[in-house]
Amino acid sequence: MFAKRNIYKICGILILCGSFFCIWGYGDAGEKKEAAHKPEFHTQAVTRGKVEEYVSGIGTLNPHEVVLVGSRLSGTVQKIHTDFNRTVSAGQLLLELDPAIYRAELKRAKANLAVAGASLDIAKSNYNRKEKLFYKKFISSSEYEEEKQKRVSADAQYELALADVDKAQTDIDNTLIRSPIDGVILKREVEQGQTIASVFQTPILFHIAQDFKSMRLDAEVSEMDIAKVREGMEAYFLVEAYDSRQFKGVVKQLRLQPNSNNGVVTYNVIIDVDNPERLLLPGMTANVRILTGKVNNVLRIPTKAIYFVPVEESAANFLQEPEVDVSDNEDVSEIKNSKNIHKVFRLDKDGGLLPVKVIAGVSNRHYTQILESDLKENDLLVVQQIQEKN
């Protein structure tokens, strides 16, 4: 009987211990499960330094000026004195047309001038004689006026013949095609022996660009960004031929004529580029960045923090924006109206999210200037939530 009672006591003690361990184990598992579901975040610190803001665009390099050299005369190309990529100076001979026809025209014009000159001399002599007779009352006024008219007509014929000589001489001079500017031959559109005709339009013989030591970058900037661009701003760009080298230019002009392509509106921005080494060539495509803002030694936050949004439903309570008083700062109030107010998150002591309102200034993809906020240097801001592994 005694042994039986001891067995009952032992069983009761075992049941109580089992219940205790079950309760303790369940509570510990719950705490572990809660800890396992607690979100974790990547953070970056608030720092101090410079922030540069850029507007991006795509552009094409072109010479400042391209002159199309043509011929107003028809004829056969007798000799070509230059070729592609040659450097030429103003007045340099580029091409000769066969002058035979125009030399014959000059001879004919000079012969006509000689005839007109002889006729003029006769008309002058007759007029002088008739004039004397008229004043002595030996001829009538009608006869005198008739002789006077003949002299005027002979004088006009002489002037026409003289003009024909000048034209024929000019045509001969124009058979020698010369460069109008200092530059480089971009394109030659004729061959030696080719016949050109200028009856309906001026045939183009050469494309001459100004010296490549200075070039023009025609960039397209979207309508969303064009309001930030001003003349005199610095621009930086890369070309595929020298993808590791950055080139620099200055915004010279904003053209008001819009370009529309499939509903996308852009504006042309003209950028002056120095090219002393002549590395840049016409037609090269450039990826352009125009420096629209720059500040030094300012408080800045990682731009990623601005775009961070909590993914947990439990974070919905944090989406209410805290109040920030900006009424005493007119500049900040203007920025507030321009929708430069953002909300970022930092962690509390328990790892929860605390929203902080910031008023941003100059911004790029790495950093954003803080104009107004409660943040201090070295504060940690959430930039990404760590995804749980299944």
Side-chain angles (χ1 to χ4, degrees), residues 341-361:
I341 296 180
H342 302 282
K343 180 172 59 180
V344 296
F345 293 90
R346 60 183 177 185
L347 300 178
D348 61 17
K349 61 180 180 180
D350 297 324
L353 295 176
L354 290 176
V356 181
K357 179 175 283 188
V358 297
I359 299 178

Side-chain angles (χ1 to χ4, degrees), residues 285-301:
T285 301
N287 295 312
V288 187
R289 296 186 305 144
I290 300 172
L291 182 61
T292 57
K294 181 179 180 179
V295 288
N296 294 310
N297 194 30
V298 296
L299 203 62
R300 63 188 187 180
I301 62 174

Side-chain angles (χ1 to χ4, degrees), residues 176-192:
L176 304 178
I177 308 300
R178 301 183 183 276
S179 175
I181 62 170
D182 296 335
V184 178
I185 303 294
L186 286 184
K187 188 176 182 181
R188 172 170 62 83
E189 297 197 9
V190 289
E191 300 292 340
Q192 189 163 321

Side-chain angles (χ1 to χ4, degrees), residues 139-153:
I139 61 173
S140 64
S141 61
S142 60
E143 188 176 355
Y144 170 71
E145 291 297 331
E146 181 180 358
E147 200 61 40
K148 184 178 179 181
Q149 183 179 3
K150 288 180 180 180
R151 182 199 165 175
V152 171
S153 177

